[in-house]
Amino acid sequence: MSGIVAYIGKQEAKHLLLNGIKQLEHRGYDSAGISLFDGKDLLIAKKAGKIAELEKILEQKDISSNIGIAHIRWATHGAPNDINSHPHCDNSGNIAIVHNGIIENYSALKTKLSEEGFSFKSETDTEVLAVFIGALYNKVKNLDEAVRLALSEVDGTFGIAVISKYEPDKLILARRGSPMLIGIGDDEYIAASDASSIIQHTRQVIYLSDNEMAVLKKDSFYTKTIDNIATNNKVHLIEFDIEQIEKGGYEHFMLKEIHEQPNTFFETLRGRLLAEKGDVRLGGLLPVIDKIKNTKRIIITACGTSWHSGLVGEYFFETLAQIPVEVEYASEFSYRNPILDKNDLVFAISQSGETADTLAAIKEVKRKSAVALGIVNVVGSSIARATDAGVYIHAGPEVGIASTKAFTSQIAALLLIALHIGRMRNLSQVDGIKIAKAMLKIPDQMKSILDNTENIKEIAKLYSKTSNCLYLGRGINFPVALEGALKLKEISYIHAEGYPAAEMKHGPIALIDENMPVVFVAPQDEIYKKIISNIQEVKARKGKVIVIATEGDKRIKDYADHVITIPKTIDILTPLLSVLPLQLLSYYIAIERGCNVDNPRNLVKAVTVE
Ligand code: AGP
């Protein structure tokens, strides 16, 4: 999610705006920009890279201004380069906007505006909105009315700030699905997408609601809905300090990102899942859609958590699209001279888009003329640029080193792709609709798990001193067992291993005694009976059993020492829910052990060396 700061008042706007976006920079952005009205012209400065790059440009300009907007970008549409950076202008260059969110109908708007003779410089959805506002301004000659009319026709999400040379005494703000706060100072207002950019100026804020806009002048403002109905807003006092605001009030980024998953899962689906048709729209795959449709084999390559999501994806492609799949560690795949040909599809999964092992695997794929597709979070990253096409997971910046929300969004992206290919092949519309409906229930089901963590905290207290732990799962939940083990290893430094539950009797069961906690991922699915017998094997040898079970499962408490329940969903979606308790369990155990959860020892967020 990008960052916005806007100002109108008596202070010099330039430094205030730059300091405002600097508060947001460490969350991993890729470009920054600012627009100021200096009493004569609307000045724009924007640059890919860190804010320091932007400051170099501004140092050369002697600008005095009391109104401006600034933006720090997390790219969603268009690579992170200068031209795609915000602010964006209308064709006259007299209206500038910055935007957070995704305009879903930007392509249709862009076509309509192009046919009316308007032009575009960037690949972004934001510029389309800027040009649209400019086109409407030409008709209504009123800035806030032009903004209101434009937003009335927009599908998708936005947090925007708009200034103009036409009406330089006005700052316009609006929001739908992307936060926008107005800080109230003495004859000045500082607005932002995040309170951390406001609180050094004022702690009195107003939170705009969805489909609400504000028109601010130096000494007054008013708010109304996009349907033109006046609104009143309560003034709130921000009590958090900056550190707490950065983490959304959570103690760590990891916990914040675990709790973001209902939203980030939906952001991966947004504008792509056509639930009423049981199908999917994935513009990012269009360049290679024929090769995808006719492929005979899929290979998935990745590292760490991304490799685990790839193992889940294997079940999706084989059950929904009937395509054989191999899942490969990228570090192994790129050095074993894999047998590939031009009919093979290779998906590279990477949150950072910078993992050297995965990048090396892609180069090997390209050398052998197979199709390389990316499932990446960071737009414009090396892996995104190295692949022929791909799907961005839109999970927003993931700051905690232990990957959490990226895992569930990678699974969501894999599911969308498998559903799309399946519907191009033999998957019926009825089955597609059934899966789509179950997907739309996932955010609320995730919330119900995340709202009930007391039981998990208690279990974490009981087992925080263990030296070892086993994670067992079957079928599509075996990769979830692997992921749960990795989370515990990464942040609590406890030795943990994930295994297929049935594999225990082939050796590892020798490890079981009263000192070995064993976590079973055992939702009521088609192989439930089998995993119950695996649980009994462990119990018979005095192992301590913690089970992730389906709500309403009355039998499980007879076999387990501790039960953590998840809502019922269709079998192939259970990993989206069963992983949440494991993320939380690892988090609370690490807290009990006093570990540095967001920055565990020996680890980095992107492993850019092979
Ligand atoms: C996961 O919690 C780890 N931080 C690590 O295994 C990570 O998943 C792996 O390094 C791959 O990173 P990527 O997804 O950015 O390529």
Side-chain angles (χ1 to χ4, degrees), residues 192-459:
S193 52
D194 189 297
S196 55
S197 298
I198 292 176
I199 65 167
Q200 67 266 46
H201 302 283
T202 175
R203 286 182 177 270
Q204 294 189 70
V205 295
I206 277 174
Y207 296 90
L208 280 189
S209 303
D210 275 351
N211 294 311
E212 189 175 24
M213 63 186 287
V215 181
L216 295 88
K217 294 189 172 181
K218 278 188 179 170
D219 53 4
S220 67
F221 76 97
Y222 68 90
T223 57
K224 61 181 180 180
T225 65
I226 289 169
D227 299 336
N228 225 4
I229 299 161
T231 55
N232 286 313
N233 283 282
K234 181 170 174 295
V235 178
H236 298 264
L237 197 60
I238 302 176
E239 278 144 14
F240 284 140
D241 62 29
I242 281 203
E243 172 80 1
Q244 288 168 307
I245 289 167
E246 283 306 293
K247 293 165 185 162
Y250 292 99
E251 193 179 349
H252 297 97
F253 279 111
M254 181 180 176
L255 189 61
K256 175 181 175 229
E257 288 153 9
I258 288 171
H259 283 266
E260 281 181 341
Q261 289 177 104
N263 293 331
T264 50
F265 172 81
F266 183 73
E267 284 307 315
T268 310
L269 304 186
R270 182 190 291 280
R272 294 164 162 173
L273 182 63
L274 308 173
E276 67 289 347
K277 294 180 186 162
D279 203 342
V280 174
R281 176 179 52 213
L282 287 168
L285 296 184
L286 286 177
V288 291
I289 199 67
D290 289 337
K291 290 187 174 177
I292 289 174
K293 194 172 177 179
N294 302 313
T295 191
K296 298 284 184 292
R297 179 171 72 140
I298 287 177
I299 292 159
I300 300 174
T301 188
C303 304
T305 287
S306 300
W307 183 74
H308 295 153
S309 67
L311 290 172
V312 175
E314 177 176 3
Y315 285 87
F316 295 158
F317 287 116
E318 294 194 345
T319 52
L320 302 184
Q322 309 289 311
I323 301 175
V325 178
E326 292 164 36
V327 184
E328 301 271 358
Y329 278 118
S331 52
E332 291 298 308
F333 182 67
S334 39
Y335 287 95
R336 67 172 177 74
N337 191 20
I339 299 166
L340 292 171
D341 72 30
K342 63 182 177 20
N343 297 316
D344 288 331
L345 278 192
V346 181
F347 283 97
I349 305 175
S350 177
Q351 188 287 128
S352 63
E354 300 300 339
T355 299
D357 288 327
T358 310
L359 204 50
I362 292 164
K363 287 177 180 146
E364 183 67 5
V365 170
K366 308 274 286 187
R367 198 170 66 81
K368 298 190 173 179
S369 311
V371 179
L373 299 170
I375 296 175
V376 177
N377 193 28
V378 180
V379 175
S381 55
S382 303
I383 289 171
R385 283 179 285 115
T387 46
D388 300 309
V391 174
Y392 284 122
I393 67 171
H394 294 324
E398 187 177 67
V399 179
I401 283 187
S403 189
T404 49
K405 64 176 183 175
F407 179 69
T408 45
S409 279
Q410 287 165 352
I411 289 175
L414 286 159
L415 190 53
L416 288 170
I417 298 166
L419 184 55
H420 189 39
I421 299 176
R423 294 281 290 114
M424 287 192 279
R425 291 172 170 223
N426 306 316
L427 188 70
S428 70
Q429 179 165 341
V430 168
D431 286 343
I433 290 170
K434 181 182 155 206
I435 294 165
K437 281 183 176 169
M439 288 167 75
L440 293 174
K441 288 181 187 163
I442 290 292
D444 285 345
Q445 292 176 317
M446 286 179 161
K447 281 194 188 83
S448 70
I449 297 167
L450 297 170
D451 290 345
N452 296 288
T453 59
E454 285 316 307
N455 178 25
I456 298 171
K457 287 177 187 170
E458 289 312 310
I459 296 169

Side-chain angles (χ1 to χ4, degrees), residues 527-556:
I527 47 180
Y528 174 75
K529 288 199 183 75
K530 290 288 188 188
I531 206 161
I532 289 294
S533 57
N534 298 145
I535 293 174
Q536 289 169 314
E537 288 157 12
V538 170
K539 277 306 287 174
R541 291 159 179 83
K542 301 188 179 53
K544 294 291 182 214
V545 172
I546 302 163
V547 182
I548 312 300
T550 305
E551 279 167 6
D553 180 346
K554 300 278 185 283
R555 286 178 58 196
I556 201 72

